[in-house]
């Protein structure tokens, strides 16, 4: 199973939390997405994926297109963490009123909590795991949500996604070792 994070946006570059807001890719983000496609083909051994699911956000859909992927279905469950009142704000800005705040440890007022995001991740992973019988599965999405997918795949709580990195236009590969879910690669990217 392959996870692809969308390419760079102005908000990801500046550290603003970007959930519901549909921010376009930067030119560099578009270049990174194209390069991600080349790396994805190599990671998959040149075979086309059996299933490609994408977040409905334009930044994910455009990344998929530029990476040469044909999206089989747009899936709302792959949307980024809903940051609620923290949307569009950086961590330092949020910490001005909530010292020590992180998305992993504090609530996002009027948004999702880690348990809700983890439940979405579990549902996506169950479907993707079943589809793996037909070949490779690619999930195109976002930074925090992809990190939750990684954590949940290996049986960790959603909050343990803090321990993984997903740079813009980076791949992570989820597999198994003798039937036990494992991380094959995390945060791979090819810089153009």
């Amino acid at each position: 199973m392959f996870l692809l994070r969308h390419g760079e946006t102005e908000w990801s570059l500046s550290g603003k939390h970007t959930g519901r807001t549909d921010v376009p890719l930067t030119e560099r983000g578009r270049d990174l997405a194209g390069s991600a496609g080349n790396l994805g083909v190599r990671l998959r051994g040149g075979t086309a994926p059996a299933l490609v699911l994408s977040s409905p956000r334009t930044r994910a859909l455009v990344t998929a297109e530029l990476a040469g992927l044909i999206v089989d279905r747009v899936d709302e469950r792959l949307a980024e963490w809903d940051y609620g009142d923290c949307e569009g704000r950086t961590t330092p800005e949020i910490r001005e009123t909530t010292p020590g705040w992180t998305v992993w440890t504090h609530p996002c007022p009027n948004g999702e909590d880690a348990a809700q995001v983890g439940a979405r991740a579990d549902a996506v992973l169950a479907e993707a795991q079943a589809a793996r019988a037909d070949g490779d599965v690619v999930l195109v999405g976002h930074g925090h949500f992809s990190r939750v997918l990684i954590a949940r795949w290996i049986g960790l709580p959603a909050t343990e996604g803090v321990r993984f990195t997903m740079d813009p236009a980076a791949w992570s590969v989820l597999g198994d070792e003798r039937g036990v879910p494992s991380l094959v690669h995390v945060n791979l990217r090819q810089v153009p």
Side-chain angles (χ1 to χ4, degrees):
M1 188 176 330
F2 298 83
L3 309 180
L4 174 60
R5 180 184 175 190
H6 66 77
E8 176 188 272
T9 69
E10 288 296 334
W11 280 23
S12 67
L13 187 59
S14 67
K16 290 182 179 179
H17 290 82
T18 318
R20 298 176 309 250
T21 306
D22 221 354
V23 180
L25 298 178
T26 62
E27 281 306 311
R28 182 170 186 270
R30 295 176 66 81
D31 291 343
L32 290 170
S35 294
N38 297 330
L39 179 56
V41 169
R42 289 200 328 265
L43 288 170
R44 293 189 317 273
T47 62
L51 178 65
V52 178
L53 301 177
S54 176
S55 159
R57 302 300 179 260
T58 303
R59 58 193 180 272
L61 290 165
V62 170
T63 295
E65 177 185 348
L66 293 172
L69 297 167
I70 298 170
V71 174
D72 295 300
R73 191 174 81 242
V74 172
D75 192 326
E76 183 65 38
R77 297 173 303 177
L78 284 168
E80 180 60 293
W81 198 306
D82 183 345
Y83 300 115
D85 296 348
C86 297
E87 180 83 7
R89 299 172 65 202
T90 66
T91 297
E93 289 170 344
I94 297 165
R95 286 180 175 172
E96 288 174 8
T97 55
T98 309
W101 182 91
T102 75
V103 70
W104 308 104
T105 59
H106 289 70
C108 293
N110 298 309
E112 289 180 295
D113 63 27
Q116 291 168 310
V117 177
R120 278 198 293 123
D122 290 347
V124 169
L125 289 170
E127 180 180 341
Q129 174 65 352
R132 284 180 67 206
D134 297 325
D136 293 334
V137 175
V138 176
L139 306 176
V140 184
H142 307 275
H144 280 129
F145 190 71
S146 292
R147 294 163 70 182
V148 172
L149 287 168
I150 293 168
R152 296 303 301 139
W153 178 255
I154 59 173
L156 298 175
T159 54
E160 290 300 304
V162 69
R163 300 185 186 283
F164 307 102
T165 301
M166 279 294 287
D167 290 327
W171 290 94
S172 287
V173 183
L174 309 179
D176 59 77
E177 173 67 25
R178 296 182 181 98
V180 177
S182 66
L183 299 179
V184 179
H185 299 288
V186 177
N187 201 41
L188 296 175
R189 65 187 191 121
Q190 181 174 314
V191 179

